[in-house]
């Protein structure tokens, strides 16, 4: 499907969210996560302080409490680092934690729906289950490593570990680098700009169970705008094994408007298209 690469990217354009309270002295999920880390682990304490600064910069409670988001924009996909399309208009609806819908083209006649661990494509031909390995698993993997899942859920889990890895240049910015590892030894590295404390880069590594190849996925966040109290990156670039894979440029974002569950029911979506 010629729209698949772009759609997979959209499904991971989860606006950088958080799992700790603002710097107000209250106890949040980040504090709960830190409780599982030895107090004498200086690296962990430094990492926690940086995460707290980032969450404050991102909007604090507004990040912790959003339930849904609607976005519009245009996305571009790449092959071997070279653009392979003129760009695709998209409308994206997400209901935290695991419901998502993406409408593509000017006519919005290609729709992909993700609900839990299932994925579907709806066109004039009807409903099609997405291919498990090539279409669905990449989406589920990126959701698992998405910023809001890592910072809202991983940090609440027993056995989470935080590591401060010093200052380094990422996305042409001076950043503080932090790695978060869960009890399954799954890790994600974040880079926060030292002046604004906003996330500028996310990276994680996974190994293909079939060919055992080691893969590196990265996202770069830029053009932050304050949207309903939330600092939102309007430009996002995804990189796969060192090559640019996709870019997205938002034109609008709206948080917490009511969304019916039927939006994420493939049969209901297909019936409405008839």
């Amino acid at each position: 499907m010629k729209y698949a690469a772009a759609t997979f990217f959209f499904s991971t354009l989860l606006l950088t969210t958080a799992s700790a309270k603002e710097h107000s002295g209250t106890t949040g999920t980040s504090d709960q996560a830190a409780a599982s880390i030895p107090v004498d682990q200086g690296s962990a304490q430094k990492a926690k302080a940086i995460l707290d600064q980032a969450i404050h910069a991102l909007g604090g409670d507004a990040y912790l409490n959003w339930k849904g988001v609607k976005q519009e924009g245009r996305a571009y996909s790449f092959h071997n680092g070279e653009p392979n399309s003129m760009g695709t208009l998209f409308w994206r609806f997400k209901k935290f934690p695991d419901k998502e819908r993406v409408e593509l083209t000017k006519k919005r006649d290609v729709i992909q729906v993700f609900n839990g661990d299932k994925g579907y494509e709806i066109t004039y031909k009807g409903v099609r289950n997405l291919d498990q390995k090539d279409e669905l698993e990449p989406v589920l993997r990126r959701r698992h490593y998405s910023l809001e899942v890592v910072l809202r859920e991983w940090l609440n889990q027993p056995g989470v570990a935080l590591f401060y890895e010093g200052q380094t240049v990422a996305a042409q910015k001076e950043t503080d680098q932090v790695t978060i590892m869960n009890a399954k030894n799954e890790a994600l590295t974040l880079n926060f700009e030292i002046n604004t404390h906003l996330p500028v880069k996310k990276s994680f590594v996974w190994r293909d169970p079939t060919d055992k190849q080691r893969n590196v996925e990265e996202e770069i966040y830029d053009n932050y705008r304050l949207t309903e109290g939330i600092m939102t990156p309007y430009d996002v670039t995804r990189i796969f094994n060192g090559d640019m894979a996709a870019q997205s440029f938002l034109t609008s974002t709206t948080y917490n408007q009511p969304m019916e569950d039927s939006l994420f029911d493939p049969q209901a979506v297909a019936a409405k298209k008839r």
Side-chain angles (χ1 to χ4, degrees):
M1 184 69 194
K2 66 180 179 179
Y3 303 111
T7 304
F8 294 159
F9 177 61
F10 304 144
S11 66
T12 62
L13 292 182
L14 305 173
L15 302 174
T16 311
T17 54
S19 63
K21 295 291 182 181
E22 294 183 78
H23 283 235
S24 59
T26 58
T27 300
T29 54
S30 181
D31 295 308
Q32 296 165 1
S36 65
I37 300 170
V39 295
D40 62 346
Q41 188 177 345
S43 172
Q45 297 304 311
K46 177 65 173 177
K48 178 184 178 301
I50 291 169
L51 288 169
D52 286 344
Q53 287 180 322
I55 291 159
H56 180 77
L58 288 164
D61 285 342
Y63 267 93
L64 303 179
N65 296 327
W66 71 265
K67 303 300 183 183
V69 62
K70 299 180 181 181
Q71 298 174 323
E72 297 180 24
R74 180 179 290 272
Y76 301 81
S77 58
F78 297 76
H79 180 68
N80 292 329
E82 297 294 331
N84 60 6
S85 75
M86 296 300 292
T88 303
L89 293 174
F90 70 89
W91 289 258
R92 181 172 174 272
F93 308 81
K94 180 173 177 63
K95 195 171 186 179
F96 188 82
D98 60 0
K99 292 181 173 62
E100 188 167 2
R101 168 178 172 148
V102 180
E103 302 173 0
L104 301 170
T105 80
K106 288 183 178 180
K107 296 181 179 181
R108 304 170 70 163
D109 55 358
V110 177
I111 301 173
Q112 291 202 349
V113 168
F114 303 92
N115 197 329
D117 61 355
K118 306 297 183 182
Y120 312 88
E121 182 176 75
I122 301 97
T123 66
Y124 71 93
K125 295 181 179 180
V127 179
R128 176 180 72 89
N129 290 335
L130 294 179
D131 178 80
Q132 182 71 28
K133 177 175 174 55
D134 294 332
E135 297 178 305
L136 182 57
E137 286 184 5
V139 175
L140 298 182
R141 181 186 308 113
R142 293 179 192 130
R143 180 204 293 166
H144 179 64
Y145 285 95
S146 64
L147 284 166
E148 75 272 18
V149 168
V150 171
L151 295 175
R152 293 174 93 174
E153 296 185 353
W154 287 29
L155 289 180
N156 288 323
Q157 297 168 355
V160 68
L162 308 179
F163 305 91
Y164 175 62
E165 299 178 337
Q167 292 189 347
T168 186
V169 175
Q172 301 180 337
K173 296 180 174 67
E174 290 289 338
T175 68
D176 285 306
Q177 184 164 298
V178 171
T179 291
I180 303 169
M181 180 177 290
N182 64 19
K184 298 178 182 179
N185 290 325
E186 297 169 331
L188 178 135
T189 297
L190 297 171
N191 292 84
F192 302 96
E193 189 173 6
I194 60 174
N195 293 320
T196 65
H197 308 301
L198 294 170
V200 298
K201 181 181 176 182
K202 177 193 77 176
S203 61
F204 66 93
V205 177
W206 61 278
R207 193 172 295 277
D208 190 294
T210 303
D211 59 19
K212 309 304 180 184
Q213 178 178 341
R214 179 180 181 273
N215 298 293
V216 180
E217 297 204 36
E218 303 168 283
E219 284 185 352
I220 307 297
Y221 308 101
D222 201 2
N223 189 20
Y224 276 90
R225 301 181 190 178
L226 186 63
T227 306
E228 299 174 33
I230 298 173
M231 288 297 288
T232 303
Y234 270 55
D235 301 349
V236 180
T237 300
R238 181 162 60 82
I239 299 169
F240 183 78
N241 288 338
D243 288 331
M244 187 179 296
Q247 285 186 308
S248 176
F249 302 94
L250 298 180
T251 56
S252 69
T253 298
T254 305
Y255 291 97
N256 295 322
Q257 287 190 354
M259 286 186 280
E260 298 294 332
D261 283 346
S262 59
L263 280 173
F264 312 98
D265 180 338
Q267 299 304 326
V269 174
K272 193 172 182 179
K273 286 177 64 67
R274 296 191 189 108

